[in-house]
Amino acid sequence: MKIKVLGCSAGIGDSRRTSCCLLDADILLDVGTGAGELSLEGLIGINHVFLTHAHLDHAGLLPLVADAAGRFRDRPVIVHALAETVAALRECMFNWRLWPDYAALPSLERPFLRYEAVEVGATLSLGGRKITPLPARHAVPAVGYWIDSGQASLALSGDTTLCEEFWDALSRIENLKYLLIETAFLNADAALAAVAGHMTADLLAAGLSRLRRPVEVYVTHLEPGWEDRIMAEIGAACAGFDVRRLRQGMEFEF
Ligand SMILES: [Zn+2]
Ligand SMILES: [Zn+2]
């Protein structure tokens, strides 16, 4: 199993792309602006999309991905997300005003998209690749994902502030190898992080202290322009842990 990072910033500007990872050649984990890095052939090959939540930096390119690929495909792209996230997409995005309803076009029998609701803890197996939603705590309903190849596991947080249930779930993953965790804000913005549902360096240190197994940690979703300062705070707060900055183009094989 291979995961390639197509986007891992909280925003855009210069070469920054927002959250999107490619799992093997057929699954996208979030569809932020990183999805625009795929070739047309790559877009056509996407069969499944797993969304952490509905925010545009994670789901904003879904209409364009479906549009580029739809007429070349003979089956819908399946969008896996919380029921609340699906409702937000239907009401606010694919509502015929912002974008046509691709669950009904070009025909109800063969639409571009089909939705499947996920639940925290309920594992989906796609060709031996196990994908399980993890708890998260964000400004809107959100999940992380645990991806298990059978050999090893990678977990990604999506957007979340400190969520004890997330870290406790990680502690139960026996073959956990990689953790992609967001840290959007500086410690000075702790109050904003609590309201907006994001992590700071201090919250990351608290989470890592709760995690009872070794793991390679990669920090994602840094706010544009503040990356170096946030990483410096993480270096100070998380001394003793194996924490690096996630970079666009990185690949994880497991
Ligand atoms: Zn968000
Ligand atoms: Zn985000």
Side-chain angles (χ1 to χ4, degrees), residues 44-133:
I44 294 166
I46 300 300
N47 294 323
H48 298 270
V49 167
F50 286 79
L51 296 178
T52 58
H53 62 300
H55 280 159
L56 290 180
D57 54 324
H58 300 257
L61 249 59
L62 181 58
L64 300 182
V65 167
D67 186 64
R71 274 183 291 277
F72 294 97
R73 294 174 50 81
D74 57 8
R75 56 189 161 138
V77 175
I78 302 179
V79 179
H80 306 264
L82 285 173
E84 296 94 328
T85 304
V86 171
L89 296 177
R90 298 189 78 119
E91 289 164 22
C92 306
M93 182 182 271
F94 296 99
N95 59 5
W96 296 103
R97 289 189 291 161
L98 207 62
W99 205 256
D101 180 6
Y102 273 2
L105 284 184
S107 70
L108 277 171
E109 295 72 35
R110 191 174 284 185
F112 283 169
L113 296 180
R114 190 157 64 76
Y115 301 106
E116 277 194 15
V118 303
E119 285 177 32
V120 168
T123 301
L124 217 85
S125 189
L126 295 170
R129 302 166 295 182
K130 290 185 176 155
I131 302 176
T132 309

Coordinates of all heavy atoms in Angstrom, one line a residue, residues 44-133:
I44 N -9.1 10.2 -13.6 CA -10.1 9.3 -14.1 C -10.0 7.9 -13.3 O -11.0 7.2 -13.1 CB -9.8 9.0 -15.6 CG1 -10.1 10.3 -16.4 CG2 -10.7 7.9 -16.1 CD1 -9.6 10.3 -17.8
G45 N -8.8 7.7 -12.8 CA -8.6 6.4 -12.0 C -9.1 6.4 -10.6 O -9.1 5.4 -9.9
I46 N -9.6 7.5 -10.1 CA -10.1 7.6 -8.7 C -11.5 7.0 -8.6 O -12.4 7.5 -9.2 CB -10.1 9.1 -8.2 CG1 -8.7 9.7 -8.3 CG2 -10.7 9.2 -6.8 CD1 -7.7 9.0 -7.5
N47 N -11.6 5.9 -7.8 CA -12.9 5.2 -7.6 C -13.5 5.6 -6.3 O -14.7 5.5 -6.1 CB -12.6 3.7 -7.6 CG -12.2 3.3 -9.0 OD1 -12.7 3.8 -10.0 ND2 -11.3 2.3 -9.1
H48 N -12.7 6.0 -5.3 CA -13.2 6.3 -3.9 C -12.6 7.6 -3.4 O -11.4 7.8 -3.6 CB -12.9 5.1 -3.0 CG -13.5 3.8 -3.3 ND1 -14.7 3.4 -2.9 CD2 -13.0 2.8 -4.1 CE1 -15.0 2.2 -3.4 NE2 -14.0 1.8 -4.1
V49 N -13.4 8.3 -2.7 CA -12.9 9.5 -2.0 C -13.4 9.4 -0.5 O -14.5 9.1 -0.3 CB -13.5 10.8 -2.6 CG1 -13.3 12.0 -1.7 CG2 -13.0 11.1 -4.0
F50 N -12.5 9.5 0.4 CA -12.8 9.6 1.8 C -12.6 11.0 2.3 O -11.4 11.5 2.2 CB -11.9 8.6 2.6 CG -12.3 7.1 2.4 CD1 -11.9 6.5 1.2 CD2 -13.0 6.4 3.3 CE1 -12.2 5.1 1.0 CE2 -13.4 5.1 3.1 CZ -13.0 4.5 1.9
L51 N -13.6 11.6 2.8 CA -13.5 13.0 3.3 C -13.5 13.0 4.8 O -14.2 12.2 5.5 CB -14.7 13.8 2.9 CG -14.9 14.0 1.4 CD1 -16.2 14.8 1.1 CD2 -13.7 14.8 0.8
T52 N -12.6 13.8 5.4 CA -12.5 13.9 6.9 C -13.7 14.8 7.3 O -14.3 14.6 8.4 CB -11.2 14.5 7.3 OG1 -11.0 15.8 6.7 CG2 -10.1 13.6 7.0
H53 N -14.0 15.9 6.5 CA -15.1 16.8 6.8 C -15.4 17.7 5.6 O -14.7 17.5 4.6 CB -14.8 17.6 8.1 CG -13.6 18.5 8.0 ND1 -12.3 18.1 7.8 CD2 -13.6 19.9 8.2 CE1 -11.5 19.1 7.8 NE2 -12.2 20.2 8.0
A54 N -16.3 18.6 5.8 CA -16.8 19.3 4.6 C -16.1 20.6 4.3 O -16.3 21.2 3.2 CB -18.3 19.6 4.8
H55 N -15.2 21.1 5.1 CA -14.5 22.3 4.9 C -13.8 22.3 3.5 O -13.3 21.3 3.1 CB -13.5 22.6 6.0 CG -14.2 23.2 7.2 ND1 -13.6 23.2 8.4 CD2 -15.4 23.8 7.4 CE1 -14.4 23.7 9.3 NE2 -15.5 24.1 8.7
L56 N -13.8 23.5 2.9 CA -13.3 23.6 1.5 C -11.9 23.2 1.3 O -11.5 22.8 0.2 CB -13.6 25.0 1.0 CG -15.0 25.4 0.7 CD1 -15.1 26.9 0.2 CD2 -15.7 24.5 -0.2
D57 N -11.0 23.5 2.3 CA -9.6 23.1 2.2 C -9.5 21.5 2.1 O -8.4 21.0 1.8 CB -8.7 23.7 3.2 CG -9.2 23.4 4.7 OD1 -10.4 23.4 4.9 OD2 -8.4 23.2 5.5
H58 N -10.6 20.8 2.4 CA -10.5 19.3 2.3 C -11.5 18.7 1.3 O -11.3 17.6 0.9 CB -10.9 18.8 3.7 CG -10.0 19.2 4.8 ND1 -9.0 18.4 5.3 CD2 -9.8 20.4 5.4 CE1 -8.3 19.1 6.2 NE2 -8.8 20.3 6.3
A59 N -12.5 19.5 0.9 CA -13.5 19.0 0.0 C -13.7 19.8 -1.3 O -14.4 19.5 -2.2 CB -14.8 18.8 0.7
G60 N -13.0 21.0 -1.3 CA -13.3 22.0 -2.3 C -13.1 21.6 -3.7 O -13.8 22.2 -4.6
L61 N -12.2 20.7 -4.0 CA -12.0 20.3 -5.4 C -12.8 19.1 -5.9 O -12.7 18.7 -7.0 CB -10.5 20.1 -5.6 CG -9.8 21.1 -6.5 CD1 -10.0 22.5 -5.9 CD2 -8.4 20.8 -6.9
L62 N -13.7 18.6 -5.0 CA -14.5 17.4 -5.4 C -15.3 17.7 -6.6 O -15.4 16.8 -7.5 CB -15.4 17.0 -4.2 CG -16.3 15.8 -4.4 CD1 -15.4 14.6 -4.8 CD2 -17.1 15.5 -3.2
P63 N -16.0 18.8 -6.7 CA -16.8 19.1 -8.0 C -15.9 19.0 -9.2 O -16.3 18.5 -10.2 CB -17.4 20.5 -7.8 CG -17.4 20.7 -6.3 CD -16.2 20.0 -5.8
L64 N -14.7 19.6 -9.1 CA -13.9 19.7 -10.3 C -13.2 18.3 -10.7 O -13.0 18.0 -11.8 CB -12.8 20.8 -10.1 CG -13.4 22.2 -9.9 CD1 -12.2 23.2 -9.7 CD2 -14.3 22.6 -11.0
V65 N -12.9 17.6 -9.6 CA -12.4 16.2 -9.8 C -13.4 15.4 -10.5 O -13.2 14.7 -11.5 CB -11.9 15.6 -8.5 CG1 -11.7 14.1 -8.6 CG2 -10.7 16.3 -8.0
A66 N -14.7 15.4 -10.0 CA -15.7 14.6 -10.6 C -16.0 15.1 -12.0 O -16.3 14.3 -12.9 CB -17.0 14.7 -9.7
D67 N -16.0 16.4 -12.2 CA -16.2 16.9 -13.6 C -15.2 16.5 -14.6 O -15.5 16.1 -15.7 CB -16.3 18.5 -13.5 CG -16.7 19.1 -14.8 OD1 -17.8 18.8 -15.2 OD2 -15.9 19.8 -15.4
A68 N -13.9 16.5 -14.2 CA -12.9 16.2 -15.1 C -12.9 14.7 -15.5 O -12.7 14.3 -16.7 CB -11.5 16.5 -14.5
A69 N -13.3 13.9 -14.5 CA -13.2 12.4 -14.7 C -14.5 11.8 -15.2 O -14.5 10.8 -15.9 CB -12.8 11.7 -13.4
G70 N -15.7 12.4 -14.9 CA -17.0 11.8 -15.0 C -17.3 11.2 -16.4 O -17.7 10.0 -16.4
R71 N -17.0 11.9 -17.4 CA -17.5 11.4 -18.7 C -16.5 10.3 -19.3 O -16.8 9.7 -20.3 CB -17.6 12.6 -19.7 CG -19.0 13.3 -19.7 CD -19.1 14.3 -20.7 NE -18.2 15.5 -20.4 CZ -18.6 16.5 -19.6 NH1 -19.7 16.4 -19.0 NH2 -17.7 17.5 -19.3
F72 N -15.4 10.1 -18.6 CA -14.5 9.1 -19.1 C -14.7 7.8 -18.3 O -14.1 6.8 -18.6 CB -13.0 9.5 -18.8 CG -12.6 10.6 -19.7 CD1 -12.6 11.9 -19.2 CD2 -12.2 10.4 -21.0 CE1 -12.2 13.0 -20.0 CE2 -11.8 11.5 -21.8 CZ -11.8 12.8 -21.3
R73 N -15.6 7.8 -17.3 CA -15.8 6.7 -16.4 C -17.1 6.0 -16.6 O -18.1 6.6 -17.1 CB -15.7 7.2 -14.9 CG -14.4 7.7 -14.5 CD -14.4 8.3 -13.1 NE -15.1 7.4 -12.1 CZ -14.5 6.3 -11.5 NH1 -13.2 6.1 -11.7 NH2 -15.1 5.6 -10.7
D74 N -17.2 4.7 -16.3 CA -18.4 4.0 -16.5 C -19.1 3.7 -15.1 O -20.1 2.9 -15.1 CB -18.2 2.7 -17.3 CG -17.2 1.8 -16.6 OD1 -16.8 2.1 -15.5 OD2 -16.8 0.8 -17.3
R75 N -18.6 4.2 -14.0 CA -19.2 4.1 -12.7 C -19.0 5.3 -11.9 O -18.0 6.0 -12.1 CB -18.8 2.8 -12.1 CG -17.3 2.7 -11.9 CD -16.8 1.3 -11.4 NE -15.4 1.1 -11.7 CZ -14.5 0.6 -10.9 NH1 -14.9 0.2 -9.7 NH2 -13.3 0.5 -11.2
P76 N -19.8 5.5 -10.9 CA -19.6 6.7 -10.1 C -18.4 6.6 -9.2 O -18.0 5.5 -8.8 CB -20.9 6.8 -9.2 CG -21.5 5.4 -9.3 CD -21.0 4.8 -10.5
V77 N -17.9 7.8 -8.8 CA -16.9 7.9 -7.7 C -17.7 7.8 -6.4 O -18.7 8.5 -6.3 CB -16.1 9.2 -7.8 CG1 -15.2 9.3 -6.6 CG2 -15.4 9.4 -9.1
I78 N -17.3 6.9 -5.5 CA -18.0 6.8 -4.3 C -17.3 7.7 -3.2 O -16.1 7.6 -3.0 CB -18.0 5.3 -3.8 CG1 -18.6 4.4 -4.9 CG2 -18.7 5.2 -2.5 CD1 -18.6 3.0 -4.6
V79 N -18.2 8.6 -2.7 CA -17.7 9.5 -1.7 C -18.1 9.0 -0.3 O -19.3 9.0 0.0 CB -18.4 10.9 -1.9 CG1 -17.9 11.9 -0.9 CG2 -18.0 11.4 -3.3
H80 N -17.1 8.7 0.5 CA -17.3 8.2 1.8 C -17.1 9.3 2.8 O -16.0 10.0 2.8 CB -16.3 7.1 2.2 CG -16.3 5.9 1.2 ND1 -17.0 4.8 1.3 CD2 -15.6 5.8 0.0 CE1 -16.8 4.0 0.3 NE2 -16.0 4.6 -0.5
A81 N -18.1 9.6 3.7 CA -18.0 10.7 4.6 C -19.1 10.5 5.7 O -20.0 9.7 5.5 CB -18.2 12.0 3.9
L82 N -18.9 11.2 6.8 CA -20.0 11.2 7.8 C -21.3 11.7 7.2 O -21.3 12.5 6.2 CB -19.6 12.2 8.9 CG -18.5 11.8 9.9 CD1 -18.2 12.9 10.8 CD2 -19.0 10.5 10.8
A83 N -22.4 11.2 7.7 CA -23.7 11.6 7.2 C -23.9 13.1 7.2 O -24.4 13.7 6.3 CB -24.8 10.9 8.0
E84 N -23.3 13.7 8.3 CA -23.4 15.2 8.4 C -22.6 15.9 7.3 O -23.0 16.9 6.7 CB -22.9 15.7 9.7 CG -23.7 15.2 10.9 CD -23.2 13.9 11.5 OE1 -22.6 13.1 10.8 OE2 -23.3 13.8 12.7
T85 N -21.5 15.3 6.9 CA -20.7 15.8 5.8 C -21.4 15.7 4.5 O -21.4 16.6 3.7 CB -19.3 15.1 5.8 OG1 -18.7 15.3 7.1 CG2 -18.4 15.7 4.7
V86 N -22.0 14.5 4.3 CA -22.7 14.3 3.0 C -23.8 15.3 2.9 O -24.1 15.9 1.8 CB -23.3 12.8 3.0 CG1 -24.2 12.7 1.8 CG2 -22.1 11.8 2.9
A87 N -24.5 15.5 4.0 CA -25.7 16.5 4.0 C -25.1 17.9 3.6 O -25.8 18.6 2.9 CB -26.3 16.5 5.4
A88 N -24.0 18.3 4.2 CA -23.4 19.6 3.9 C -23.1 19.7 2.4 O -23.3 20.7 1.8 CB -22.2 19.8 4.8
L89 N -22.5 18.6 1.8 CA -22.1 18.7 0.4 C -23.4 18.8 -0.4 O -23.4 19.6 -1.4 CB -21.4 17.4 0.0 CG -20.0 17.1 0.7 CD1 -19.5 15.8 0.2 CD2 -19.1 18.2 0.3
R90 N -24.4 18.1 -0.1 CA -25.7 18.1 -0.9 C -26.4 19.4 -0.8 O -26.9 19.9 -1.8 CB -26.6 17.0 -0.4 CG -26.0 15.6 -0.6 CD -27.1 14.5 -0.3 NE -28.0 14.4 -1.5 CZ -28.1 13.3 -2.2 NH1 -27.5 12.2 -1.9 NH2 -28.9 13.3 -3.2
E91 N -26.4 20.0 0.4 CA -27.2 21.2 0.6 C -26.4 22.5 0.2 O -27.0 23.4 -0.3 CB -27.5 21.4 2.1 CG -28.5 20.4 2.6 CD -28.6 20.3 4.1 OE1 -28.1 21.3 4.8 OE2 -29.0 19.3 4.6
C92 N -25.1 22.4 0.3 CA -24.3 23.7 0.1 C -23.4 23.7 -1.1 O -23.0 24.7 -1.6 CB -23.4 23.9 1.3 SG -24.3 23.9 2.9
M93 N -23.1 22.5 -1.7 CA -22.2 22.4 -2.8 C -22.9 21.9 -4.1 O -23.0 22.6 -5.0 CB -21.0 21.5 -2.4 CG -19.9 21.4 -3.5 SD -18.6 20.3 -2.9 CE -17.5 21.5 -2.1
F94 N -23.4 20.7 -4.0 CA -24.1 20.1 -5.2 C -25.6 20.4 -5.1 O -26.4 19.4 -5.1 CB -23.8 18.6 -5.2 CG -22.3 18.2 -5.4 CD1 -21.5 17.9 -4.3 CD2 -21.7 18.3 -6.6 CE1 -20.2 17.6 -4.4 CE2 -20.4 17.9 -6.8 CZ -19.6 17.6 -5.7
N95 N -25.9 21.6 -5.1 CA -27.3 22.1 -4.8 C -27.9 22.8 -6.1 O -28.9 23.5 -5.9 CB -27.3 23.0 -3.6 CG -26.5 24.2 -3.8 OD1 -25.9 24.4 -4.9 ND2 -26.4 25.0 -2.8
W96 N -27.3 22.6 -7.2 CA -27.7 23.2 -8.5 C -27.4 24.7 -8.5 O -27.6 25.3 -9.6 CB -29.2 23.0 -8.8 CG -29.5 21.5 -8.9 CD1 -30.2 20.7 -8.0 CD2 -29.3 20.7 -10.1 NE1 -30.3 19.5 -8.5 CE2 -29.8 19.4 -9.8 CE3 -28.7 20.9 -11.3 CZ2 -29.7 18.4 -10.7 CZ3 -28.6 19.9 -12.2 CH2 -29.1 18.6 -11.9
R97 N -27.0 25.3 -7.5 CA -26.6 26.7 -7.5 C -25.1 26.9 -7.5 O -24.5 27.6 -8.3 CB -27.3 27.5 -6.3 CG -28.8 27.6 -6.5 CD -29.4 28.4 -5.4 NE -29.3 27.8 -4.1 CZ -29.4 28.4 -3.0 NH1 -29.6 29.7 -2.9 NH2 -29.4 27.8 -1.8
L98 N -24.5 26.3 -6.5 CA -23.0 26.3 -6.5 C -22.4 25.3 -7.5 O -21.4 25.6 -8.2 CB -22.5 26.0 -5.1 CG -21.1 26.5 -4.7 CD1 -21.2 28.1 -4.7 CD2 -20.7 26.0 -3.4
W99 N -23.1 24.2 -7.7 CA -22.7 23.2 -8.7 C -23.9 22.2 -8.9 O -24.7 22.1 -8.0 CB -21.5 22.4 -8.1 CG -20.6 21.8 -9.2 CD1 -20.6 20.5 -9.5 CD2 -19.7 22.4 -10.0 NE1 -19.7 20.3 -10.6 CE2 -19.2 21.5 -10.9 CE3 -19.3 23.8 -10.2 CZ2 -18.2 21.8 -11.9 CZ3 -18.3 24.1 -11.1 CH2 -17.8 23.1 -12.0
P100 N -23.9 21.6 -10.1 CA -25.0 20.7 -10.3 C -25.0 19.5 -9.3 O -23.9 19.2 -8.8 CB -24.8 20.2 -11.8 CG -23.9 21.2 -12.4 CD -23.1 21.8 -11.3
D101 N -26.1 18.8 -9.2 CA -26.1 17.6 -8.3 C -25.6 16.4 -9.0 O -26.3 15.8 -9.8 CB -27.6 17.4 -7.9 CG -27.7 16.2 -7.0 OD1 -26.6 15.6 -6.6 OD2 -28.8 15.8 -6.6
Y102 N -24.3 16.1 -8.8 CA -23.6 15.0 -9.5 C -24.1 13.7 -9.0 O -23.6 12.7 -9.5 CB -22.1 15.2 -9.4 CG -21.5 16.1 -10.4 CD1 -22.3 16.7 -11.4 CD2 -20.1 16.3 -10.5 CE1 -21.7 17.5 -12.4 CE2 -19.6 17.1 -11.5 CZ -20.4 17.7 -12.4 OH -19.8 18.5 -13.4
A103 N -24.9 13.6 -8.0 CA -25.5 12.3 -7.6 C -26.7 12.0 -8.4 O -27.3 10.9 -8.3 CB -25.9 12.3 -6.1
A104 N -27.1 13.0 -9.3 CA -28.2 12.8 -10.2 C -27.9 13.0 -11.7 O -28.7 12.8 -12.6 CB -29.4 13.8 -9.8
L105 N -26.7 13.4 -11.9 CA -26.2 13.7 -13.3 C -25.0 12.8 -13.7 O -24.2 12.4 -12.8 CB -25.7 15.1 -13.4 CG -26.8 16.2 -13.5 CD1 -26.1 17.6 -13.7 CD2 -27.7 16.0 -14.6
P106 N -24.9 12.4 -14.9 CA -25.8 12.7 -16.1 C -27.1 12.0 -16.0 O -28.0 12.4 -16.7 CB -25.0 12.3 -17.3 CG -23.8 11.6 -16.8 CD -23.7 11.7 -15.3
S107 N -27.2 11.0 -15.2 CA -28.5 10.3 -15.0 C -28.6 9.7 -13.6 O -27.5 9.4 -13.0 CB -28.8 9.2 -16.1 OG -27.9 8.1 -15.8
L108 N -29.8 9.5 -13.1 CA -29.9 8.9 -11.8 C -29.4 7.5 -11.8 O -28.9 7.0 -10.8 CB -31.4 8.9 -11.4 CG -31.9 10.1 -10.8 CD1 -33.4 10.1 -10.6 CD2 -31.3 10.4 -9.4
E109 N -29.4 6.8 -13.0 CA -29.0 5.4 -13.1 C -27.4 5.3 -13.1 O -26.9 4.4 -12.6 CB -29.5 4.7 -14.4 CG -31.0 4.6 -14.4 CD -31.7 5.9 -14.7 OE1 -31.2 6.8 -15.4 OE2 -32.8 6.1 -14.1
R110 N -26.8 6.4 -13.6 CA -25.3 6.3 -13.7 C -24.8 7.7 -13.4 O -24.3 8.4 -14.3 CB -24.9 5.9 -15.1 CG -23.4 5.6 -15.2 CD -23.0 5.0 -16.5 NE -23.4 3.6 -16.6 CZ -23.1 2.8 -17.6 NH1 -22.4 3.3 -18.6 NH2 -23.5 1.5 -17.7
P111 N -24.9 8.1 -12.2 CA -24.4 9.5 -11.8 C -22.9 9.5 -11.7 O -22.2 8.5 -11.7 CB -25.0 9.7 -10.4 CG -25.1 8.3 -9.9 CD -25.4 7.4 -11.0
F112 N -22.3 10.7 -11.6 CA -20.9 10.9 -11.4 C -20.4 10.5 -10.0 O -19.3 10.1 -9.8 CB -20.5 12.4 -11.7 CG -20.4 12.7 -13.2 CD1 -20.3 14.1 -13.5 CD2 -20.5 11.8 -14.2 CE1 -20.3 14.5 -14.9 CE2 -20.4 12.1 -15.5 CZ -20.3 13.5 -15.9
L113 N -21.3 10.8 -9.0 CA -21.0 10.5 -7.6 C -22.0 9.7 -6.9 O -23.2 9.8 -7.3 CB -20.9 11.9 -6.8 CG -19.8 12.9 -7.2 CD1 -20.0 14.1 -6.3 CD2 -18.4 12.3 -7.1
R114 N -21.6 8.9 -6.0 CA -22.5 8.2 -5.1 C -22.0 8.4 -3.7 O -20.8 8.3 -3.4 CB -22.6 6.8 -5.5 CG -23.7 6.0 -4.8 CD -24.1 4.7 -5.6 NE -23.0 3.8 -5.7 CZ -22.7 3.0 -4.7 NH1 -23.3 3.0 -3.5 NH2 -21.7 2.1 -4.9
Y115 N -22.8 8.6 -2.7 CA -22.4 8.9 -1.3 C -22.6 7.6 -0.5 O -23.6 6.9 -0.7 CB -23.3 10.0 -0.7 CG -23.2 11.3 -1.4 CD1 -24.2 11.8 -2.2 CD2 -22.0 12.1 -1.3 CE1 -24.2 13.0 -2.8 CE2 -22.0 13.3 -2.0 CZ -23.0 13.7 -2.7 OH -23.0 14.9 -3.4
E116 N -21.6 7.4 0.4 CA -21.8 6.3 1.4 C -21.4 6.8 2.7 O -20.2 7.3 2.9 CB -20.9 5.1 1.0 CG -21.6 4.2 0.0 CD -21.0 2.8 -0.2 OE1 -20.2 2.4 0.7 OE2 -21.3 2.2 -1.2
A117 N -22.3 6.8 3.7 CA -22.0 7.3 5.0 C -21.0 6.4 5.8 O -21.2 5.2 5.7 CB -23.3 7.5 5.8
V118 N -20.1 7.0 6.5 CA -19.2 6.3 7.3 C -19.5 6.5 8.8 O -20.2 7.5 9.1 CB -17.7 6.7 7.1 CG1 -17.3 6.5 5.6 CG2 -17.4 8.1 7.5
E119 N -19.1 5.6 9.6 CA -19.3 5.8 11.1 C -17.9 5.5 11.8 O -17.1 4.7 11.3 CB -20.3 4.8 11.6 CG -21.7 5.2 11.3 CD -22.7 4.2 11.8 OE1 -22.4 3.5 12.8 OE2 -23.7 4.0 11.1
V120 N -17.7 6.3 12.8 CA -16.4 6.1 13.6 C -16.3 4.6 14.0 O -17.3 4.1 14.6 CB -16.4 7.1 14.8 CG1 -15.3 6.7 15.8 CG2 -16.2 8.5 14.3
G121 N -15.2 4.0 13.8 CA -15.0 2.7 14.2 C -15.4 1.6 13.3 O -15.0 0.4 13.4
A122 N -16.2 2.0 12.3 CA -16.7 1.0 11.3 C -15.7 0.8 10.1 O -15.6 1.7 9.3 CB -18.1 1.4 10.8
T123 N -15.1 -0.4 10.0 CA -14.0 -0.6 9.0 C -14.6 -0.9 7.7 O -15.5 -1.7 7.6 CB -13.1 -1.7 9.5 OG1 -12.5 -1.4 10.8 CG2 -12.0 -2.0 8.5
L124 N -14.0 -0.3 6.6 CA -14.4 -0.6 5.3 C -13.2 -1.3 4.7 O -12.0 -0.8 4.8 CB -14.6 0.7 4.5 CG -15.8 0.6 3.5 CD1 -17.1 0.8 4.2 CD2 -15.6 1.6 2.4
S125 N -13.4 -2.4 4.0 CA -12.3 -3.1 3.3 C -12.4 -3.0 1.8 O -13.4 -3.4 1.2 CB -12.3 -4.6 3.8 OG -11.1 -5.2 3.3
L126 N -11.3 -2.4 1.2 CA -11.3 -2.3 -0.3 C -10.1 -3.0 -0.8 O -9.0 -2.5 -0.7 CB -11.3 -0.8 -0.6 CG -12.5 0.1 -0.2 CD1 -12.1 1.6 -0.4 CD2 -13.7 -0.3 -1.0
G127 N -10.4 -4.2 -1.3 CA -9.3 -5.0 -1.9 C -8.2 -5.3 -0.8 O -7.0 -5.2 -1.1
G128 N -8.6 -5.6 0.4 CA -7.6 -5.9 1.4 C -7.1 -4.7 2.2 O -6.4 -4.8 3.2
R129 N -7.5 -3.5 1.7 CA -7.0 -2.3 2.4 C -8.1 -1.8 3.3 O -9.2 -1.5 2.9 CB -6.8 -1.2 1.3 CG -5.7 -1.6 0.3 CD -5.7 -0.7 -0.9 NE -6.9 -0.7 -1.7 CZ -7.2 -0.1 -2.8 NH1 -6.2 0.7 -3.3 NH2 -8.3 -0.2 -3.4
K130 N -7.8 -1.8 4.6 CA -8.8 -1.5 5.6 C -8.8 -0.1 6.0 O -7.7 0.4 6.4 CB -8.6 -2.4 6.9 CG -8.9 -3.9 6.6 CD -8.8 -4.7 7.8 CE -9.3 -6.2 7.5 NZ -8.6 -7.1 8.4
I131 N -9.9 0.6 5.9 CA -10.0 2.0 6.2 C -11.1 2.2 7.3 O -12.2 1.8 7.1 CB -10.3 2.8 5.0 CG1 -9.3 2.6 3.9 CG2 -10.5 4.3 5.3 CD1 -9.5 3.2 2.6
T132 N -10.7 2.8 8.4 CA -11.5 3.0 9.6 C -11.6 4.4 10.0 O -10.5 5.0 10.3 CB -11.0 2.1 10.8 OG1 -10.8 0.8 10.3 CG2 -12.1 2.1 11.9
P133 N -12.8 5.0 10.1 CA -12.9 6.4 10.6 C -12.5 6.5 12.1 O -12.9 5.6 12.9 CB -14.3 6.8 10.4 CG -14.8 5.9 9.3 CD -14.1 4.6 9.5

